[in-house]
C-alpha cells in the first residue's frame, strides 16, 4: 500500500471505532488532530506521514476505548502489520501513541519531533473554543456540574485522582486546560495555543460575570 492508501485505511479504522464515542474522543476529534498535526508538521519540517498516521490512530489504544493500554497498543500494532506499514514507520507510530497521552501531567516530553508534533496537536484540540465545548461535553457525559463556587480546583494529582473525582467542569480549566499553553513542544503550536488560551480566558471572565448577574 502507498502512503495515501494507508492513511485512507487508518481514517476508516478510526472512524469505525470512534464514531459516536461521547467522552470527547469521537471521530471528529481525530480528524481535527490530524489536520492540526499536518499543519504543525509542515511548519516544523517533521515527517508529515508519520504525524498524520499517529494522529489518526492515537486514541484507539486509549484505555477508555480499548480497555487497557496493552490491549490497545496490540490492537494498533496488529492493524499496522495487516496494512503492511514498514517496520520502522510502525515502531515510530507505536512509540508516539504510547508516549503522548496526558495522565495527570506526569508523562515525559516525546523523544522524537513527530511525537512532539502529535502531542501538540492533541493538546491544542483540548483548548480554545473546541476545548471549551469538549470540556462541557465530557462533564455532561460524566454527570458533573458546570461550576460550583464552593469547590476549589485541585493542585498536582495522581492519574487516579485525575480520573476519579467529580470535579465541576470549570475547575478542569484550572487543573489542566489553562496549563497546556506552557506545555507546547513546538514554536508553531505555541502560537496557536496563545490564541486559544486567550479565548478560554475571555470565556471564563464572561462566565463569572454572568454567574454573578453582572452582565
Ligand atoms: P487525553 O485525550 O489527552 O487522554 P482526556 O481523556 O483527559 O485527554 O480528555 C479528553 C477530553 O475530555 C479533553 O478535551 C479534556 O479536556 C476533557 N476532559 C477530561 N477530563 C475532564 C474533566 N474532568 N472535566 C471536563 N473535561 C474533561
Ligand atoms: Ni486525542
Amino acid at each position: 500500500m502507498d502512503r495515501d492508501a494507508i492513511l485512507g485505511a487508518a481514517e476508516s479504522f478510526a472512524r469505525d471505532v470512534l464514531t459516536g464515542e461521547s467522552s470527547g474522543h469521537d471521530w471528529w476529534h481525530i480528524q481535527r488532530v490530524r489536520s492540526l498535526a499536518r499543519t504543525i508538521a509542515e511548519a516544523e519540517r517533521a515527517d508529515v506521514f508519520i504525524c498524520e498516521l499517529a494522529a489518526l490512530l492515537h486514541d484507539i489504544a486509549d484505555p477508555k476505548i480499548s480497555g487497557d493500554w496493552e490491549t490497545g497498543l496490540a490492537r494498533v500494532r496488529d492493524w499496522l502489520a495487516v496494512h503492511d506499514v514498514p517496520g520502522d514507520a510502525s515502531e515510530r507510530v507505536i512509540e508516539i501513541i504510547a508516549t503522548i497521552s496526558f495522565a495527570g501531567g506526569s508523562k515525559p516530553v516525546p523523544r522524537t519531533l513527530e511525537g512532539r508534533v502529535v502531542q501538540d496537536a492533541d493538546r491544542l484540540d483540548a483548548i480554545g473554543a473546541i476545548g471549551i465545548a469538549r470540556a462541557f461535553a465530557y462533564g455532561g457525559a460524566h454527570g458533573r456540574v458546570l461550576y460550583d463556587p464552593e469547590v476549589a480546583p485541585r493542585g498536582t494529582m495522581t492519574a487516579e485522582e485525575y480520573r476519579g473525582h467529580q470535579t465541576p467542569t470549570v475547575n478542569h480549566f484550572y487543573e489542566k486546560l489553562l496549563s497546556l499553553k506552557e506545555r507546547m513542544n513546538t514554536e508553531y503550536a505555541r502560537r496557536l495555543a496563545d490564541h486559544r488560551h486567550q479565548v478560554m480566558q475571555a470565556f471564563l471572565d464572561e462566565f463569572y460575570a454572568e454567574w454573578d448577574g453582572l452582565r
Side-chain angles (χ1 to χ4, degrees), residues 25 64 101 134-135 138 144 162-163 167 172 176-177:
H25 292 86
K64 290 190 286 309
S101 173
R134 287 181 78 205
Y138 181 105
R144 296 178 185 180
Y162 175 68
R163 294 283 172 220
T167 183
H172 186 62
K176 177 176 173 186
L177 306 184

